[in-house]
Amino acid sequence: MKVNLRRIVGWRFGSARLIHLVGFLLSCAFLPSATARPCGSLGVAVQVLGSGGPELQDKRASSSYLVWEDGQARALVDAGGGSALRFGESGAQMSQLDVLLFTHFHVDHSADFSALIKSSWFEDRNRPLPIYGPEGNDFMPSTTEFVSDFFGDKRGAYRYLSELLVPGENGSYKMQPHDVAGSASPIGVFHSGDLAVSSVRVIHGQVPALAWRIEVGSKRIVFSGDTNGEGGGLTQLATNADLFIAHNAVPEGAIGIERSLHMPPSVIGQIAGDAHVKHLVLSHLMLRTLGKENQTQSEIEKRFSGPMEFANDLDCFSVR
Ligand SMILES: [Zn+2]
């Protein structure tokens, strides 16, 4: 479980004790980082690199998550704006990753991809980097298109780095992008050692989108990505998850386009309850959901009785 400072300072203390507590917390904040225990140094954990949506005024990085096992960053899910900086702050290395997964290619899920890849250039990675994400349509590129739009040798915006993608040239390693045909029920997509990855197609307007499940040994972590929650695939994927990270992009009562793209708290609660997840974390918070945590929590608690928390950037959730 993470240490939730917001909850701690929300307790009712006398003003003198509160001043002491705040002083103590500030002193903790300025301890040398060497004394802080990094996320996932023992066992499996998920670190939230970006807990926000597209808006910069939320002062959060956009969507991105890192799965740790015993001090190794094993998988990255999405790379929204700001997440590359958070990746560096987490202490992770691109050379550690077994796989990079995209839920979809909206800017707030993919804008820092090229920054992460460029940083990896300076690392000692000597094995391919598999990249999985959705197929394309008239509105969005496929995963292979998206990667080659940046790094393709002829037309890529960053074609000066094409040796990280194009076969036959000498790079330190190669990206291996793959398009995943989303399915209504979970399908296995990738595995490496004790890490196994599955996905289902989810509904996010006209944008091809996937939810991901990452299993590390016996630990099961599910990422909803952006979706309006329609269809039963996400519930199947999340069944008995040890940790379910769901996107709280709209408040209860949302209508119109917002609702057609995103699931309100009641739908999140229904899915978490039906899937019997063990721990729910709400992320992809936006200006329209921040400040409505009490309403969100009560809607969810009508349908899901397990522990739930709201994510902040760099929060570390142990998976027990
Ligand atoms: Zn989003």
Side-chain angles (χ1 to χ4, degrees):
M1 297 293 166
K2 65 165 185 163
V3 176
N4 189 326
L5 297 181
R6 184 181 296 174
R7 190 167 294 170
I8 290 171
V9 297
W11 288 347
R12 289 179 193 164
F13 277 77
S15 57
R17 285 186 72 186
L18 184 59
I19 289 166
H20 279 111
L21 176 63
V22 169
F24 169 72
L25 292 172
L26 285 172
S27 70
C28 289
F30 294 108
L31 284 174
S33 60
T35 63
R37 199 168 176 205
C39 184
S41 56
L42 196 63
V44 178
V46 174
Q47 189 157 28
V48 177
L49 298 185
S51 60
E55 302 150 302
L56 303 177
Q57 291 74 19
D58 61 13
K59 300 181 177 62
R60 294 162 184 262
S62 300
S63 190
S64 185
Y65 308 98
L66 197 52
V67 176
W68 289 93
E69 183 186 21
D70 295 336
Q72 295 288 309
R74 303 281 316 265
L76 182 69
V77 180
D78 282 347
S83 63
L85 175 60
R86 296 283 185 256
F87 188 93
E89 290 172 328
S90 78
Q93 300 278 323
M94 284 295 288
S95 56
Q96 297 170 331
L97 291 179
D98 286 277
V99 68
L100 200 166
L101 308 171
F102 283 107
T103 61
H104 64 293
F105 291 110
H106 273 154
V107 169
D108 58 314
H109 296 255
S110 60
D112 271 8
F113 168 66
S114 52
L116 288 162
I117 296 301
K118 176 58 186 175
S119 181
S120 75
W121 176 267
F122 295 94
E123 293 183 21
D124 191 22
R125 188 179 179 98
N126 53 17
R127 60 190 169 126
L129 176 61
I131 300 170
Y132 290 87
E135 293 185 312
N137 63 11
D138 289 345
F139 300 97
M140 300 300 281
S142 67
T143 304
T144 50
E145 265 186 283
F146 179 81
V147 174
S148 73
D149 286 348
F150 286 108
F151 298 107
D153 61 342
K154 298 285 192 298
R155 304 178 67 89
Y158 302 127
R159 50 188 174 269
Y160 77 104
L161 295 174
S162 63
E163 67 184 74
L164 287 171
L165 178 64
V166 180
E169 297 187 26
N170 293 322
S172 56
Y173 75 94
K174 293 278 192 295
M175 288 179 272
Q176 292 182 333
H178 304 272
D179 302 333
V180 176
S183 62
S185 298
I187 52 161
V189 170
F190 171 82
H191 72 90
S192 171
D194 66 347
L195 183 136
V197 175
S198 315
S199 78
V200 291
R201 179 178 55 236
V202 291
I203 307 300
H204 186 44
Q206 294 173 308
V207 178
L210 301 168
W212 290 105
R213 179 171 69 208
I214 297 178
E215 290 164 275
V216 186
S218 62
K219 310 298 184 193
R220 181 176 279 204
I221 306 151
V222 174
F223 302 87
S224 73
D226 287 1
T227 177
N228 66 9
E230 284 176 15
L234 180 56
T235 304
Q236 282 185 55
L237 191 75
T239 296
N240 296 323
D242 296 289
L243 179 60
F244 178 40
I245 298 189
H247 283 185
N248 179 211
V250 294
E252 196 64 26
I255 57 172
I257 292 174
E258 291 179 9
R259 175 63 186 90
S260 71
L261 291 173
H262 296 290
M263 50 187 174
S266 55
V267 173
I268 294 173
Q270 192 70 47
I271 292 171
D274 290 348
H276 305 289
V277 306
K278 295 176 187 138
H279 184 188
L280 171 64
V281 168
L282 300 181
S283 187
H284 200 294
L285 309 171
M286 295 184 61
L287 298 180
R288 60 200 181 202
T289 54
L290 288 162
K292 295 188 175 157
E293 287 81 358
N294 288 343
Q295 180 202 53
T296 296
Q297 187 162 354
S298 76
E299 285 297 332
I300 288 174
E301 284 173 350
K302 291 175 190 169
R303 299 159 181 91
F304 171 68
S305 57
M308 61 160 288
E309 298 174 78
F310 292 90
N312 293 303
D313 286 12
L314 293 175
D315 275 354
C316 179
F317 297 95
S318 295
V319 182
R320 299 166 196 277

